[in-house]
Amino acid sequence: NMAPLPATMKAIEIAQNGGIEVLEHKDVPVPTLADNQVLIRNEFAGVNFIDTYFRSGLYKAPQFPLRLGREAAGEVIAATGAAAAKFPVGSKAVYMEGNAYAEYTAVNASNVISIPDGVSTEVAAAGYLQGLTAWTFIREAANVQPGQWAFVHAAAGGCGSLLVQMLHAIGAKVIASASTDEKLALAKKLGADYTVKSTDDVAAEVKKITNGHGVDAIFDGIGKSTFDLDLEMIARKGNLISFGNASGAVEGVALLRLAPKNVRLMRPVVNNYLVEREELEQYTTELFDMIKNKGIVVSIHDVYPLADAGRAHTDIESRKTTGKLVLKL
Ligand code: NDP
């Protein structure tokens, strides 16, 4: 009863590092399955800043050609081994794994999660990686407590807009920062208690807002250009979660800089909180519950055809997007 699979499909691959001109929209074979894998016909793939790092070479490609993309959602087409009983053909699933900028992806069953009823594949793909990032970093990296001051950089971005909402939901006092008034207005709407424009004297503003206390937790996906500011505005015993490189990688940090305020510094990666199947299931269940029942909104900046992945990269790199960018397959 299943339509026969095509032999080839479209995918975005790179054969070398560079600008968007290295993105190739190619015809490639539809992948075949190894044991305990799931073949997913991707409906939507998430665009993440990390995709630009692999394209540019900031992160080293494991091999060339490299098929880009780290998350997608779609329909289960086939499954092998133990996965066959767990992920019925025709059901909807989401995953974080490589090769997602493609019409079909062979995904290890350990990384596949069934999408609950009431969540569309579009929202699942859009909210998955960034939602899990925001939630694991709030819970495990910073362990934010109600009443604490939390500061979110790039607060209107994909991760940022989810961090703001989740921090607000758990009762933190949220200070959101972004580069434009429009972005700050969005962050405010999402639950930020205070907003600070990133071009202003942020440390002075934070000092005023927190009455000299500083911020107990900082979520910094900008990296290089904001690290010094982070150390200035963090509270004594604060958790500084530096988790991205939108402005370049933070390098050469002297540990002694943490001493004056007993700062806890972390550079976490979301996947490393989701290694055990129980961890992945717990966090995804909580994430989808927040999206379905607790009013956490996954706002989608734009939906791009796969062939326009380059335009999506240009847009996210040029700081003109808010929320999530997705590719439609
Ligand atoms: P965003 O949607 O947040 O886009 C990036 C934002 O960063 C921009 O909109 C911009 O906001 C801000 N920014 C500041 N300086 C620059 C610059 N020089 N160039 C471009 N943007 C800049 O992207 P994502 O949500 O996909 O990712 C946010 C960050 O989180 C990235 O660094 C990403 O790598 C990281 N990340 C890390 C993960 C991990 O596991 N460690 C997982 C997921 C994401 P503004 O204009 O307001 O400054």
Side-chain angles (χ1 to χ4, degrees):
N1 57 356
M2 226 183 73
L5 273 179
T8 64
M9 64 173 189
K10 294 289 185 192
I12 300 280
E13 294 188 346
I14 59 170
Q16 57 182 12
N17 294 124
I20 61 164
E21 72 284 351
V22 302
L23 300 176
E24 296 177 49
H25 185 233
K26 284 171 53 173
D27 287 301
V28 296
V30 169
T32 53
L33 295 182
D35 184 41
N36 205 25
Q37 284 194 323
V38 181
L39 184 66
I40 296 182
R41 186 176 58 76
N42 299 319
E43 294 171 14
F44 296 92
V47 175
N48 291 287
F49 220 94
I50 192 172
D51 304 334
T52 72
Y53 304 152
F54 278 107
R55 192 208 68 223
S56 71
L58 178 69
Y59 289 177
K60 195 173 154 29
Q63 81 284 322
F64 289 116
L66 178 71
R67 195 167 300 169
L68 294 183
R70 313 279 294 183
E71 71 176 331
E75 183 180 354
V76 173
I77 298 296
T80 51
K86 214 167 162 206
F87 303 106
V89 169
S91 65
K92 302 289 175 145
V94 61
Y95 63 90
M96 260 200 297
E97 208 181 271
N99 302 311
Y101 284 15
E103 290 180 293
Y104 295 85
T105 305
V107 187
N108 292 313
S110 58
N111 290 329
V112 178
I113 289 287
S114 296
I115 301 173
D117 289 340
V119 178
S120 68
T121 48
E122 183 174 6
V123 166
Y128 197 63
L129 188 153
Q130 293 172 342
L132 290 171
T133 300
W135 191 230
T136 58
F137 291 6
I138 289 168
R139 281 299 195 222
E140 296 215 35
N143 188 18
V144 178
Q145 300 301 310
Q148 285 189 326
W149 287 104
F151 187 99
V152 180
H153 289 282
C159 290
S161 60
L162 289 160
L163 280 164
V164 167
Q165 295 179 73
M166 290 173 182
L167 287 162
H168 174 72
I170 65 164
K173 295 179 284 191
V174 183
I175 306 177
S177 180
S179 63
T180 68
D181 291 326
E182 295 70 33
K183 289 183 177 185
L184 292 180
L186 175 64
K188 187 106 201 182
K189 205 177 96 193
L190 295 175
D193 298 284
Y194 298 87
T195 59
V196 182
K197 207 194 269 197
S198 54
T199 47
D200 289 349
D201 186 343
V202 177
E205 290 292 314
V206 164
K207 198 168 174 190
K208 220 184 298 164
I209 292 167
T210 63
N211 216 350
H213 178 81
V215 277
D216 301 300
I218 297 177
F219 297 90
D220 187 347
I222 296 181
K224 188 174 188 156
S225 69
T226 41
F227 188 77
D228 290 344
L229 165 65
D230 292 340
L231 286 179
E232 205 180 332
M233 65 183 174
I234 196 143
R236 189 172 64 86
K237 302 194 283 182
N239 286 297
L240 170 40
I241 313 303
S242 183
F243 67 97
N245 331 285
S247 69
V250 179
E251 276 164 11
V253 177
L255 282 183
L256 277 174
R257 294 183 68 191
L258 307 179
K261 291 191 273 190
N262 286 10
V263 171
R264 275 200 206 89
L265 171 64
M266 266 199 86
R267 205 308 181 187
V269 172
V270 58
N271 308 69
N272 298 334
Y273 286 125
L274 306 168
V275 173
E276 302 297 337
R277 183 69 194 182
E278 304 77 60
E279 296 175 311
L280 180 65
E281 287 183 357
Q282 184 205 319
Y283 280 116
T284 53
T285 301
E286 290 175 8
L287 174 65
F288 286 127
D289 178 55
M290 287 188 273
I291 291 171
K292 270 182 72 167
N293 307 317
K294 308 237 163 75
I296 298 295
V297 174
V298 180
S299 67
I300 295 176
H301 173 78
D302 211 346
V303 180
Y304 303 73
L306 181 68
D308 285 357
R311 188 160 55 84
H313 279 211
T314 300
D315 287 351
I316 197 169
E317 289 180 301
S318 67
R319 305 175 71 157
K320 67 180 190 203
T321 67
T322 58
K324 180 76 181 184
L325 293 68
V326 291
L327 303 176
K328 187 173 180 355
L329 281 316

